Amino acid sequence: MACPYARFIERDDETSSATAKLTLNGSVNNDALAEILSLTGYGQTSSVKPELKRLPSSDELVTYGNYLQLNRLLDSQVLLSAKHDQNKHPVHDEHLFIIIHQTFELWFKQILWEIDSLRAIFGNKSIDESHMFVSINRLQRCVQIWRLLCDQIIILETMTPLDFMEFRSYLSPASGFQSLQFRLVENKLGLTEKSRVLYNQTSYKNAFPSLHEQTELTSSLEEPTLLMLIERWLERTPGLEDSSFNFWERYKRAVAQYIEYLQSNAQDEPNPTAREAALEDVKKTADSFRSLIDEKFHQQLVARSERRMSHRALQGALMIMLYREQPRFQGPYQILSLLMDVDALITKWRYNHLILVQRQIGNKQGTGGSAGYSYLRSTCSDRYKVFIDLFNLASFLIPREFLPKLTTEMKMRLAVANVQPSSEDNAKEDGEELHRTSGKSANESGLIDKDAFHPVND
């Protein structure tokens, strides 16, 4: 990358360098531009020029149409009503029906692409702040795609039940349940077979008989899911077992003080009926906190599939939520929020689809043999939310005035960032001398202990 206002003038008999005859707006000013380039890291040490990637001259000229393969894409809408009708008259709305579902599949493909990249990032043992931006960006992209998919169903609602009835008979035994990519999205996010409702009293896998489909499903089940990787990442949250700040012990003491405060207020209620109701609320609140604090209680909920994450992972997520203003927790907090957004939007998409089906076919059986509306309604429950634990953590937040105060060491640890060098950076450092600015760094001057630099998941 070069300064946009600088250009190089090279002579055939000279070896060019980053500061050879630099011009600024047409005027030669080597000293000024050399200083600018050195400050931005593109001084004499930048000897590698970026390679311009282009197709070989022998290849076919790239056009909009052949790059996007529009001939194949736009010829893939085959209307069964036109193909099988005796008079070859297509049903007008079948074209919309095909387009909507094909675009669903294209977006599912993109979502899988993003999920796989996120699984690769969170599969690393160490995740630094440079990964946070990429992860947040890709999760935000998934969120926007799901919003778009929810709106696509609204477009399909412009088709009336009578319009759908004109070509629905051609679709049997096909069903939206047979979308392999949607099942892969569910699996790779972390939906387990135990959480699924049986489809026609059998496993969902039976809807995918081909070897290719079975291979894809098996692979998605055997590889670590995004939920598993997020769980491991949360288990490494700093502060859970820290010599100067043991979050969990401090949190339990803070909860006890909070419950005592609520009980004292309830007992001071002069009205007997109101006092009894307030004390009952305090008891329910205490039982709710106990379900998190008591690890055995938590394990029972996990066994009943009422919770998904480990006890330690929930501790890490809770700490991030309670101290989200700390610089090191701002990125992780956005990650947790976006995971809930994805889960909520998938539920919204399921519900929009449910209402569409009810309007189009009522309580009729689905073309694939399912119970139709009744089956789809069962998939809108919390059992299909992969990150349900993150939603429920709001039950365990405590007011700021009861929040344990961070120690000075913990504040420093959460106030600084660490970016792990990539393999490319290491290779570059081996071959080149790093450009350094004058003066000592914060680390050299002793303002920050080098041991305080840890990735957010150490």
Side-chain angles (χ1 to χ4, degrees):
M1 177 178 177
C3 176
Y5 302 107
R7 54 192 172 90
F8 296 105
I9 301 178
E10 301 180 3
R11 291 200 296 264
D12 295 336
D13 57 343
E14 291 185 3
T15 302
S16 65
S17 67
T19 56
K21 280 203 172 183
L22 292 162
T23 67
L24 179 62
N25 296 332
S27 302
V28 177
N29 192 341
N30 284 354
D31 294 338
L33 283 171
E35 183 178 357
I36 291 172
L37 292 177
S38 67
L39 289 173
T40 56
Y42 297 103
Q44 293 183 356
T45 59
S46 299
S47 58
V48 181
K49 293 184 178 180
E51 177 186 358
L52 181 62
K53 293 180 173 60
R54 61 177 63 181
L55 292 174
S57 57
S58 60
D59 284 11
E60 180 185 1
L61 182 66
V62 177
T63 66
Y64 181 81
N66 63 28
Y67 177 68
L68 297 178
Q69 299 190 53
L70 292 182
N71 288 338
R72 295 175 60 190
L73 183 65
L74 300 180
D75 285 343
S76 61
Q77 293 77 44
V78 180
L79 277 63
L80 293 181
S81 59
K83 186 176 180 180
H84 298 290
D85 186 84
Q86 292 182 352
N87 299 318
K88 303 299 181 184
H89 291 157
V91 176
H92 181 83
D93 280 15
E94 187 184 359
H95 192 273
L96 172 67
F97 187 83
I98 293 174
I99 290 287
I100 290 291
H101 286 82
Q102 286 180 337
T103 50
F104 276 152
E105 292 299 327
L106 286 173
W107 283 124
F108 290 159
K109 185 174 184 178
Q110 183 64 37
I111 290 170
L112 286 169
W113 182 262
E114 304 299 345
I115 292 175
D116 286 341
S117 72
L118 288 165
R119 288 162 65 227
I121 290 173
F122 283 96
N124 294 319
K125 291 184 179 180
S126 178
I127 305 171
D128 62 34
E129 277 68 17
S130 66
H131 294 104
M132 282 295 101
F133 172 79
V134 175
S135 302
I136 290 168
N137 178 262
R138 290 175 185 174
L139 275 172
Q140 286 175 334
R141 183 177 299 162
C142 289
V143 167
Q144 295 305 324
I145 292 173
W146 280 112
R147 286 199 174 114
L148 180 62
L149 295 182
C150 289
D151 288 341
Q152 276 193 195
I153 291 181
I154 297 174
I155 299 174
L156 200 53
E157 287 177 348
T158 62
M159 178 180 67
T160 68
L162 280 177
D163 295 330
F164 184 41
M165 188 177 289
E166 287 190 59
F167 65 90
R168 182 173 182 258
S169 59
Y170 293 118
L171 305 181
S172 183
S175 169
F177 186 87
Q178 298 163 349
S179 170
L180 174 65
Q181 289 196 122
F182 186 66
R183 301 305 158 207
L184 293 178
V185 168
E186 292 176 324
N187 288 349
K188 291 187 177 188
L189 284 176
L191 183 65
T192 63
E193 186 163 8
K194 188 177 180 180
S195 297
R196 294 179 182 273
V197 176
L198 290 178
Y199 179 76
N200 288 343
Q201 302 305 312
T202 61
S203 170
Y204 74 100
K205 298 176 189 176
N206 294 336
F208 305 97
S210 75
L211 178 61
H212 167 71
E213 292 172 330
Q214 286 293 323
T215 302
E216 288 283 311
L217 287 173
T218 302
S219 177
S220 69
L221 292 170
E222 292 177 348
E223 296 171 356
T225 66
L226 186 59
L227 173 63
M228 292 178 185
L229 298 172
I230 292 292
E231 179 184 56
R232 295 172 192 171
W233 170 65
L234 289 172
E235 288 173 347
R236 302 192 297 265
T237 303
L240 295 185
E241 286 184 4
D242 190 271
S243 57
S244 67
F245 185 79
N246 189 318
F247 165 70
W248 194 236
E249 291 303 319
R250 291 171 182 252
Y251 172 76
K252 287 191 290 186
R253 289 197 295 269
V255 168
Q257 293 171 1
Y258 177 52
I259 296 298
E260 185 179 349
Y261 165 79
L262 293 177
Q263 189 169 18
S264 176
N265 283 350
Q267 289 172 343
D268 291 341
E269 173 60 47
N271 185 290
T273 304
R275 181 169 62 250
E276 185 178 348
L279 288 171
E280 183 62 26
D281 286 343
V282 173
K283 183 180 180 300
K284 290 178 180 178
T285 301
D287 288 341
S288 176
F289 276 103
R290 176 175 167 266
S291 73
L292 177 68
I293 292 174
D294 188 337
E295 187 171 358
K296 290 183 179 179
F297 198 152
H298 169 81
Q299 295 300 342
Q300 291 173 6
L301 294 175
V302 171
R304 298 203 300 261
S305 298
E306 294 181 29
R307 285 196 185 149
R308 311 277 196 270
M309 293 186 181
S310 70
H311 195 241
R312 187 174 177 82
L314 286 185
Q315 294 175 27
L318 185 61
M319 185 178 181
I320 290 170
M321 288 188 173
L322 289 171
Y323 298 98
R324 62 185 181 275
E325 296 92 349
Q326 298 300 315
R328 293 289 296 280
F329 280 168
Q330 290 173 9
Y333 177 74
Q334 289 187 65
I335 294 289
L336 299 184
S337 296
L338 288 167
L339 289 171
M340 287 189 282
D341 287 342
V342 169
D343 233 347
L345 285 166
I346 293 177
T347 302
K348 182 180 179 181
W349 183 83
R350 292 182 193 273
Y351 182 75
N352 286 0
H353 182 216
L354 166 69
I355 297 303
L356 173 69
V357 168
Q358 187 179 35
R359 292 181 61 176
Q360 296 291 340
I361 66 171
N363 286 319
K364 290 179 182 177
Q365 187 179 28
T367 51
S370 74
Y373 171 80
S374 299
Y375 167 76
L376 293 175
R377 184 176 59 187
S378 66
T379 66
C380 295
S381 64
D382 281 353
R383 65 190 296 168
Y384 274 81
K385 283 182 181 173
V386 175
F387 299 98
I388 184 66
D389 291 345
L390 299 180
F391 288 86
N392 291 335
L393 277 183
S395 305
F396 310 113
L397 300 180
I398 55 178
R400 293 180 189 274
E401 53 266 33
F402 290 92
L403 202 61
K405 291 185 178 180
L406 297 172
T407 60
T408 302
E409 183 179 341
M410 198 65 206
K411 281 184 180 179
M412 177 63 72
R413 196 172 174 190
L414 297 179
V416 294
N418 177 36
V419 178
Q420 301 287 335
S422 65
S423 57
E424 294 180 0
D425 293 334
N426 289 331
K428 204 174 284 186
E429 288 175 13
D430 291 339
E432 301 178 7
E433 180 182 354
L434 290 176
H435 172 75
R436 299 184 182 275
T437 57
S438 60
K440 292 185 177 181
S441 67
N443 191 30
E444 291 173 334
S445 62
L447 293 175
I448 299 174
D449 182 1
K450 66 179 181 179
D451 293 330
F453 282 85
H454 299 289
V456 74
N457 54 8
D458 60 338

